[in-house]
Amino acid sequence: MTDELSAARIAKGLGTRLVARQVVYQEETGSTNDDARSLAQSGAPEGTLVLADHQSRGRGRLNRSWTAPPGSSLLMSLVFRPDLPPAAVQGLTMACGVGVAEGVEAQTGLTVGLKWPNDILVDGLKVGGMLTEISLGARGIDFAIVGIGLNVNLHPGDLPDDLLVKANSLSAACGRPVSRLALLQEILRRIDARYQALVGGHSPHRAWQQRLVTLGQRVRVTESGGAFKEGIAEGVDANGALLLRLDSGELCTVLAGDVTLRPSGFA
Ligand code: BT5
């Protein structure tokens, strides 16, 4: 299976209205999120797609690293300029997360779950992650970058040892190689449709919530400084914040953090 990506191949027959109307493809870069930010700062149009075959400084949240051997993954960032209040920016992560899930399911037949706030899972293992970053101007969001890393034809044994127990790839999960090009185009079409709906006033909130694997479960939410809270993940509010029912009965709204499952009654 030839699996080479190029700007021309990606654009051919894509048929999106907005997403990927400009495509920047590089064999190698530091981080596509950094590249997309620079392009957005110099006026790149909404929908610009930056994609690389390999990143030397791929990032997760809180400057954690994103690891992907060359040729194994989809590593991309999209520029959006939504007319949304900053508090609603998680709507972009929702729209893109649902788009990725729908695209993967259509191309592979796998069932895709999402883990609040930004993980993409198959059978409870992480196959992808998203990194949404915004730049604020005087009138709200100037631009937002949504970065997506997806383990497509990645051999899990090529990942660092500490990831082996929690990560997987689409090819390993479905037992065959997956065409990155066909998958990418499907994902871009789904994100295009979900984004048009979002800015047209139709939030992807329900579709996103239905895919969240941790809802109804007892979880620990760890915040960036290491402090944590435990309780039942009851739901997500309209802006995507996690609603956590603490043991005291209080309902707590969590804007950011990492979620891990806790056995019921765990002290
Ligand atoms: C994420 O962060 O999951 C967001 C990852 C976003 C990566 C994309 S790639 C294209 C674009 N350009 C960038 O520079 N970034 C975006 P977070 O929730 O913080 O998770 C990071 C953690 O995931 C790491 O600390 C590892 O434990 C784990 N991890 C790293 N590489 C992985 C991989 N290939 N598969 C599964 N888990 C991985």
Side-chain angles (χ1 to χ4, degrees):
M1 180 180 68
T2 157
D3 197 28
E4 275 178 38
L5 300 173
S6 70
R9 282 198 175 108
I10 294 165
K12 193 172 171 202
L14 184 59
T16 52
R17 276 175 58 191
L18 192 146
V19 165
R21 62 181 172 177
Q22 177 173 311
V23 180
V24 177
Y25 172 76
Q26 301 162 97
E27 294 263 312
E28 165 94 34
T29 191
S31 155
T32 57
N33 263 42
D34 294 343
D35 297 341
R37 170 180 288 269
S38 305
L39 288 168
Q41 278 164 342
S42 44
E46 174 160 72
T48 297
L49 167 69
V50 182
L51 192 125
D53 200 53
H54 186 233
Q55 297 181 124
S56 54
R57 291 189 308 279
R59 291 190 282 113
R61 293 171 299 146
L62 306 170
N63 277 328
R64 294 186 283 227
S65 62
W66 187 258
T67 312
S72 67
S73 301
L74 287 174
L75 305 167
M76 61 173 145
S77 302
L78 287 162
V79 176
F80 294 104
R81 298 183 184 278
D83 189 9
L84 294 173
V89 72
Q90 178 75 1
L92 281 177
T93 314
M94 295 184 205
C96 293
V98 172
V100 169
E102 291 173 339
V104 170
E105 289 182 349
Q107 285 293 311
T108 65
L110 295 167
T111 299
V112 179
L114 300 173
K115 192 175 105 181
W116 186 91
N118 68 326
D119 284 354
I120 299 159
L121 306 182
V122 170
D123 293 332
L125 297 174
K126 182 161 173 169
V127 297
M130 294 191 296
L131 176 65
T132 302
E133 298 177 309
I134 57 171
S135 173
L136 297 176
R139 287 174 29 252
I141 298 176
D142 183 15
F143 62 82
I145 308 294
V146 181
I148 301 167
L150 194 57
N151 303 336
V152 184
N153 296 313
L154 183 151
H155 185 355
D158 291 339
L159 288 172
D161 287 352
D162 61 314
L163 292 183
L164 281 180
V165 287
K166 51 184 182 184
N168 202 8
S169 70
L170 302 181
S171 61
C174 70
R176 61 174 171 82
V178 175
S179 161
R180 284 188 304 169
L181 180 61
L183 175 63
L184 172 65
Q185 289 190 322
E186 188 75 43
I187 287 172
L188 294 173
R189 289 184 196 111
R190 305 286 179 148
I191 292 178
D192 193 57
R194 288 286 175 183
Y195 181 66
Q196 306 283 348
L198 172 70
V199 294
H202 303 286
S203 167
H205 178 262
R206 216 165 104 173
W208 182 66
Q209 173 157 277
Q210 280 169 350
R211 289 185 183 272
L212 290 178
V213 296
T214 35
L215 296 192
Q217 311 239 42
R218 186 169 180 84
V219 297
R220 172 179 286 188
V221 185
T222 309
E223 288 159 340
S224 57
F228 65 84
K229 296 187 177 84
E230 284 188 14
I232 304 294
E234 277 197 357
V236 276
D237 73 11
N239 285 334
L242 183 70
L243 301 172
L244 186 69
R245 180 73 63 186
L246 304 180
D247 293 340
S248 63
E250 183 195 342
L251 190 62
C252 179
T253 303
V254 187
L255 297 175
D258 286 303
V259 168
T260 41
L261 282 175
R262 306 297 287 170
S264 190
F266 199 96

